[in-house]
Amino acid sequence: MNYTCLILTHKNKASGKVLTPHLEVFKQNNPQCNVHIVVGEDHAQGKRYNWRNGDQPLRKWWLENSNLVATENVAVIEWDTLVNCELPAIPEQFDLVGAQYMKEPFHLRGKWRCRSQEDPKWTPDNWWWWREIPLLELNKGEQACGLVSLGCFLMRRCVLDAVCKKRWDKVYSKNIISEMRFPTVASIEGARIGQIDLPFVHHSTMNFSGEKQIYHPIKEAQ
């Protein structure tokens, strides 16, 4: 499957260098894949804002540079994602996939009981970020969804085209967790979203085992 890869990253404040510790490993495993580096700007609200809103620089880059992408399929990965294999295919029935897909529990809207995903009692109904649904200003009948982790999203280019529609400018001016905003907007625009087997893509911690897999997060070059 032909891909273009967009790597979301930033500059190291101390060295001024753009962080791409796994770029060469990616190229070795995906030699036919064109790669573009998407460098996010430091926001006035600081590092946490940048972390939460990783889809903002992605959207900005696509609005300005989508003409540089010739492939139908786009892999969006973060700088600390180690791709030690060929990128997997997107199943025919989906337009956007990641490691874990969740739909908002309608019956709990406004009554969320958030838990850490490390809590053994955690279920998708307890996802921490459902509490940000009001910021999306959804219309009646529209359902939020989550896709975790932004460390690896695989999609058709039409998904990025849809997310970049002008009607979503207001939503993208807000401070909203990217792993809910991006898939929710895509879903409302008609994208078919699902999950695939990415056992080493996690939202917080991961160790590199050497297997031919995709790993997130791995901060240091291996």
Side-chain angles (χ1 to χ4, degrees):
M1 180 172 282
N2 290 332
Y3 274 104
T4 296
C5 182
L6 307 182
I7 299 178
L8 308 181
T9 187
H10 59 277
K11 289 183 179 180
N12 180 296
K13 284 189 175 181
S15 67
K17 293 182 178 180
V18 174
L19 295 174
T20 55
H22 309 308
L23 180 58
E24 292 308 314
V25 174
F26 178 91
K27 289 180 175 179
Q28 290 167 15
N29 286 283
N30 295 273
Q32 306 304 318
C33 186
N34 289 326
V35 178
H36 296 280
I37 309 300
V38 180
V39 182
E41 300 175 4
D42 278 335
H43 194 274
Q45 294 186 39
K47 184 177 180 180
R48 181 170 174 78
Y49 183 98
N50 298 336
W51 168 76
R52 286 170 44 81
N53 294 273
D55 57 335
Q56 288 180 343
L58 170 64
R59 185 176 187 262
K60 181 177 185 290
W61 188 94
W62 191 259
L63 282 166
E64 297 172 351
N65 300 287
S66 61
N67 62 300
L68 301 178
V69 177
T71 59
E72 174 63 22
N73 302 298
V74 179
V76 175
I77 65 174
E78 293 184 300
W79 68 273
D80 54 354
T81 300
L82 193 163
V83 180
N84 193 40
C85 61
E86 183 178 355
L87 288 169
I90 302 170
E92 289 185 9
Q93 68 269 31
F94 296 128
D95 302 306
L96 169 63
V97 294
Q100 183 181 21
Y101 174 53
M102 300 169 283
K103 288 185 178 181
E104 171 204 358
F106 266 140
H107 66 287
L108 294 178
R109 183 170 287 189
K111 297 178 287 187
W112 301 285
R113 294 191 176 185
C114 302
R115 296 177 187 268
S116 165
Q117 285 186 251
E118 277 66 48
D119 188 324
K121 295 182 180 179
W122 185 90
T123 73
D125 285 357
N126 304 127
W127 193 39
W128 198 259
W129 306 115
W130 295 137
R131 61 184 180 171
E132 296 189 7
I133 288 174
L135 295 173
L136 295 169
E137 299 183 37
L138 300 179
N139 295 322
K140 186 177 181 180
E142 292 178 340
Q143 187 175 22
C145 58
L147 193 63
V148 180
S149 151
L150 184 58
C152 183
F153 281 7
L154 307 177
M155 67 193 77
R156 318 286 181 197
R157 65 178 298 139
C158 62
V159 173
L160 285 160
D161 290 338
V163 168
C164 286
K165 289 181 179 179
K166 189 169 182 60
R167 66 178 289 206
W168 299 111
D169 285 357
K170 181 179 179 182
V171 168
Y172 268 90
S173 70
K174 297 182 180 183
N175 180 4
I176 303 173
I177 191 74
S178 57
E179 291 160 331
M180 184 177 69
R181 174 170 51 200
F182 188 90
T184 298
V185 169
S187 177
I188 291 171
E189 287 290 339
R192 301 165 300 165
I193 306 176
Q195 64 186 44
I196 60 173
D197 188 30
L198 295 169
F200 297 98
V201 174
H202 193 262
H203 68 280
S204 65
T205 59
M206 185 53 58
N207 294 314
F208 178 57
S209 69
E211 294 179 59
K212 286 292 186 179
Q213 290 281 355
I214 299 174
Y215 299 81
H216 176 270
I218 303 288
K219 305 295 184 185
E220 303 296 332
Q222 301 298 305

